[in-house]
């Protein structure tokens, strides 16, 4: 049985999700993973650990989300790989990624929720891949990350995420947008 869990994430917009799905299909990874692949509607970048869904934890995570002080940024996915954990990966840590992560972690610590060292830039396809996957380089997929969401997962028979709240990241100044997007 899966207990509902809260977490802070960002999810790709539909057009980016479609490009990601096409890359997976182009390399036959959906066929290789079968039922072990997460539905595309669950693909996300994680910003926090998972927490038991309680009213008090929802309040905590809402305060953390509302307090995020970071600019939107672009996550460029350029390969897929992993051992039993297959994921879309990036080259290094994109500018802006650590600002969002640090803002979330600072908020969690302020609320008394100790966290580990943080999360890396990736989007998981499966935690139960049948075999290791030598990295497959794909045409870069630019995902403009513009919001963080509080979601609850595992509250339905089919595992999915229900959006509880969302917060926009700060807009990038117009003179810098060409550099990031």
């Amino acid at each position: 049985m899966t207990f509902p869990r809260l977490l802070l994430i960002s999810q790709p917009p539909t057009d980016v999700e479609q490009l990601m799905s096409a890359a997976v299909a182009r390399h036959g990874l959906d066929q290789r993973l079968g039922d072990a692949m997460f539905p595309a509607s669950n693909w996300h970048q994680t910003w926090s650990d998972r927490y038991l869904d309680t009213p008090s934890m929802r309040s905590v995570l809402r305060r953390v989300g509302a307090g995020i002080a970071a600019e939107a940024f672009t996550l460029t996915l350029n390969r897929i790989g992993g051992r039993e954990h297959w994921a879309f990966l990036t080259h290094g840590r994109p500018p802006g990624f650590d600002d969002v992560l640090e803002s979330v972690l600072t908020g969690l610590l302020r609320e008394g929720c100790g966290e580990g060292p943080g999360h890396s830039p990736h989007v998981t396809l499966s935690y139960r891949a049948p075999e290791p996957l030598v990295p497959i380089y794909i045409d870069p997929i630019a995902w403009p990350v513009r919001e963080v969401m509080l979601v609850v997962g595992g509250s339905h028979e089919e595992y999915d995420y229900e959006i509880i709240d969302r917060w926009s990241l700060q807009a990038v100044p117009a003179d810098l947008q060409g550099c990031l997007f």
Side-chain angles (χ1 to χ4, degrees):
M1 175 173 200
T2 303
F3 294 99
R5 300 288 178 165
L6 299 167
L7 67 157
L8 295 168
I9 67 171
S10 293
Q11 288 190 296
T14 303
D15 60 329
V16 173
E17 182 185 301
Q18 289 170 346
L19 292 171
M20 294 167 71
S21 292
V24 167
R26 187 175 310 113
H27 295 284
L29 302 179
D30 50 347
Q31 298 300 313
R32 288 172 66 183
L33 286 171
D35 291 343
M37 187 171 94
F38 293 149
S41 60
N42 285 353
W43 292 349
H44 65 276
Q45 170 63 55
T46 304
W47 300 112
S48 74
D49 283 342
R50 289 172 165 76
Y51 298 94
L52 192 60
D53 183 13
T54 64
S56 62
M57 188 51 72
R58 281 187 183 212
S59 294
V60 163
L61 292 175
R62 279 190 162 119
R63 287 191 299 272
V64 171
I68 295 172
E71 291 183 344
F73 69 96
T74 299
L75 189 63
T76 302
L77 307 167
N78 67 356
R79 64 192 186 286
I80 303 169
R83 294 189 180 274
E84 68 279 348
H85 175 191
W86 289 7
F88 282 95
L89 304 167
T90 67
H91 178 71
R93 296 173 81 86
F97 179 89
D98 285 327
D99 296 336
V100 175
L101 185 59
E102 183 178 322
S103 189
V104 169
L105 293 177
T106 298
L108 289 167
L109 289 172
R110 187 174 23 251
E111 292 287 341
C113 299
E115 287 256 337
H119 300 272
S120 62
H122 73 280
V123 177
T124 300
L125 291 174
S126 176
Y127 286 123
R128 301 179 295 115
E131 61 199 12
L133 179 65
V134 174
I136 296 172
Y137 286 84
I138 60 172
D139 292 334
I141 300 171
W143 167 12
V145 178
R146 295 191 173 122
E147 68 178 357
V148 173
M149 296 171 259
L150 171 59
V151 298
V152 61
S155 58
H156 306 289
E157 190 170 312
E158 183 81 20
Y159 195 94
D160 62 356
Y161 294 117
E162 176 187 346
I163 299 170
I164 304 299
D165 214 337
R166 58 186 355 135
W167 303 272
S168 294
L169 296 173
Q170 298 167 8
V172 176
D175 59 334
L176 296 178
Q177 284 185 6
C179 301
L180 300 176
F181 302 109

